């Protein structure tokens, strides 16, 4: 993080030497801050602003202690100042309405077009599993920070809920150490057909992340799988009352109460898939 300005200067210099006719930027964080080249059109596809200095700032500040915390507090104002300089683009796309709203609020960018990320066509094709298995599924990086995978494991431990965890990450060893007997880790699945087969047979998907879009959530909904999620950011724009319960906070007591409701509400899985497939067909 602390070397990002230098990295972007080097990258910008390298791009300028290539003498491009136009520049297309796909930015999750710092790529947005490439230095413009006079006379060269620039298009930005914004997936998220720099989360650690804007939308996730409070979480990072609470996590980073000691010398890391002091360095973080010193560098953030400089990174914010630099980030706010790069707001002029010939065309801007955002991966969700939420991201577009944030871009307008932070950068003053208007007339942003929404372009949802591409989902593999195979997720649109399978027949919906109307009699799913009893397990739930988590798909994503195995990190406690932001992804809240530890909260999900503790929730399923207490309720003795079967949970399949699909993914890998730096907190995997710790998460396995706190997981009860109803939780299975299957690692990162790269085969799309295998991934679809596991998700579509799940009783529900659990995702407590503050998503700027939420590809995993969309994949589940395309397969008719209801979602237990967090009522902020893009998740709230992707789903409706027919396919979800969204919690307002992530306190353990709240998660327990709301997940009990989630387990006991029947969802029309064909309706869930139909709605999401129609929504994505138009984007």
């Amino acid at each position: 993080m602390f070397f990002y300005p230098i990295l972007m200067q080097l990258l910008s210099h390298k791009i300028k030497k290539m003498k491009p006719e136009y520049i297309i930027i796909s930015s999750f964080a710092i790529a947005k801050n490439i230095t413009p080249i006079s006379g060269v059109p620039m298009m930005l596809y914004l997936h998220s602003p720099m989360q650690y200095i804007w939308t996730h700032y409070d979480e990072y500040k609470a996590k980073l202690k000691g010398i890391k915390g002091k360095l973080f507090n010193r560098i953030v104002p400089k990174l914010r100042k630099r980030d706010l300089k790069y707001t002029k683009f010939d065309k801007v796309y955002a991966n969700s309405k939420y991201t577009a709203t944030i871009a307008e609020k932070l950068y003053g960018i208007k007339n942003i077009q929404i372009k949802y990320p591409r989902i593999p066509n195979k997720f649109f094709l399978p027949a919906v599993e109307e009699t799913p298995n009893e397990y739930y599924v988590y798909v994503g990086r195995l990190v406690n920070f932001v992804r809240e995978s530890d909260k999900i494991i503790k929730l399923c431990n207490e309720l003795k809920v079967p949970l399949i965890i699909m993914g890998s990450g730096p907190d995997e060893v710790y998460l396995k150490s706190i997981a009860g007997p109803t939780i299975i880790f299957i690692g990162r699945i790269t085969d799309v057909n295998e991934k679809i087969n596991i998700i579509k047979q799940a009783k529900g998907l659990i995702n407590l992340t503050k998503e700027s879009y939420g590809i995993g959530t969309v994949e589940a909904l395309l397969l008719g799988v209801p979602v237990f999620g967090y009522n902020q950011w893009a998740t709230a724009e992707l789903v409706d009352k027919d396919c979800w319960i969204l919690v307002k906070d992530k306190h353990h007591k709240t998660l327990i109460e709301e997940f009990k409701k989630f387990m006991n509400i029947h969802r029309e899985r064909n309706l869930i898939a139909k709605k999401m497939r129609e929504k994505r067909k138009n984007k």
Side-chain angles (χ1 to χ4, degrees):
M1 180 190 303
F2 309 112
F3 302 105
Y4 285 167
I6 297 173
L7 175 64
M8 293 313 299
Q9 289 175 9
L10 292 173
L11 180 59
S12 298
H13 180 67
K14 185 175 182 179
I15 292 172
K16 187 175 182 179
K17 286 181 67 176
M18 295 170 66
K19 298 181 179 180
E21 295 181 3
Y22 57 87
I23 299 173
I24 300 174
I25 303 169
S26 180
S27 180
F28 287 90
I30 63 172
K32 166 186 159 292
N33 294 349
I34 290 172
T35 302
I37 302 173
S38 179
V40 177
M42 291 183 67
M43 186 194 84
L44 172 68
Y45 184 18
L46 185 66
H47 301 277
S48 176
M50 280 194 251
Q51 294 182 347
Y52 30 85
I53 67 172
W54 297 116
T55 54
H56 287 61
Y57 171 73
D58 290 336
E59 288 96 327
Y60 275 86
K61 185 176 180 179
K63 179 186 178 183
L64 297 172
K65 304 295 183 182
I67 186 65
K68 289 183 179 179
K70 291 179 180 178
L71 288 172
F72 180 71
N73 289 334
R74 289 189 64 181
I75 195 67
V76 164
K78 296 179 181 179
L79 289 176
R80 284 182 173 178
K81 185 177 180 180
R82 178 180 173 81
D83 189 43
L84 291 173
K85 289 181 179 179
Y86 297 89
T87 61
K88 305 299 182 184
F89 302 91
D90 295 280
K91 185 173 290 188
V92 179
Y93 296 93
N95 65 346
S96 67
K97 295 176 184 176
Y98 167 79
T99 300
T101 300
I102 290 295
E104 183 172 354
K105 180 180 178 181
L106 287 177
Y107 308 126
I109 301 175
K110 301 181 183 295
N111 302 317
I112 300 172
Q113 296 184 44
I114 309 303
K115 188 176 181 64
Y116 289 146
R118 184 181 178 278
I119 304 293
N121 290 334
K122 289 184 177 182
F123 280 92
F124 293 79
L125 302 175
V128 171
E129 185 62 62
E130 297 185 36
T131 55
N133 290 315
E134 288 301 309
Y135 67 81
Y136 294 84
V137 66
Y138 164 86
V139 181
R141 290 262 296 160
L142 299 188
V143 290
N144 298 330
F145 185 59
V146 179
R147 296 294 306 183
E148 314 288 15
S149 43
D150 56 337
K151 287 183 170 64
I152 293 171
I153 287 176
K154 291 173 184 177
L155 165 69
C156 293
N157 279 345
E158 182 164 334
L159 295 177
K160 296 181 172 55
V161 171
L163 175 69
I164 291 179
I165 294 181
M166 186 188 303
S168 60
D171 291 332
E172 185 170 349
V173 172
Y174 167 71
L175 293 171
K176 286 181 176 179
S177 75
I178 66 170
T182 65
I183 297 174
I184 300 173
F185 292 77
I186 62 172
R188 184 169 175 264
I189 304 299
T190 57
D191 183 86
V192 174
N193 292 324
E194 184 180 1
K195 184 179 181 182
I196 287 172
N197 190 50
I198 293 169
I199 295 174
K200 79 172 187 176
Q201 295 185 67
K203 197 171 182 181
L205 175 94
I206 307 174
N207 178 12
L208 299 179
T209 309
K210 288 163 45 173
E211 299 276 21
S212 60
Y213 178 65
I215 290 177
T217 294
V218 174
E219 290 175 343
L221 295 173
L222 286 169
L223 298 172
V225 178
V227 172
F228 183 77
Y230 184 47
N231 191 25
Q232 283 194 24
W233 291 38
T235 301
E237 80 182 60
L238 293 172
V239 297
D240 60 27
K241 59 183 177 60
D242 291 319
C243 53
W244 59 266
I245 282 183
L246 297 184
V247 294
K248 294 182 179 179
D249 67 70
K250 302 179 188 179
H251 296 115
H252 185 67
K253 183 179 179 181
T254 302
L255 296 178
I256 292 291
E257 292 174 352
E258 294 300 311
F259 198 75
K260 285 180 178 178
K261 296 177 187 176
F262 183 68
M263 289 191 295
N264 293 316
I265 296 176
H266 174 72
R267 304 288 184 186
E268 293 293 337
R269 293 166 75 95
N270 278 302
L271 178 61
I272 294 172
K274 180 182 178 182
K275 284 189 171 185
M276 182 50 67
R277 291 178 185 188
E278 288 178 349
K279 180 181 289 188
R280 280 308 311 255
K281 184 168 56 178
N282 296 325
K283 294 292 182 181

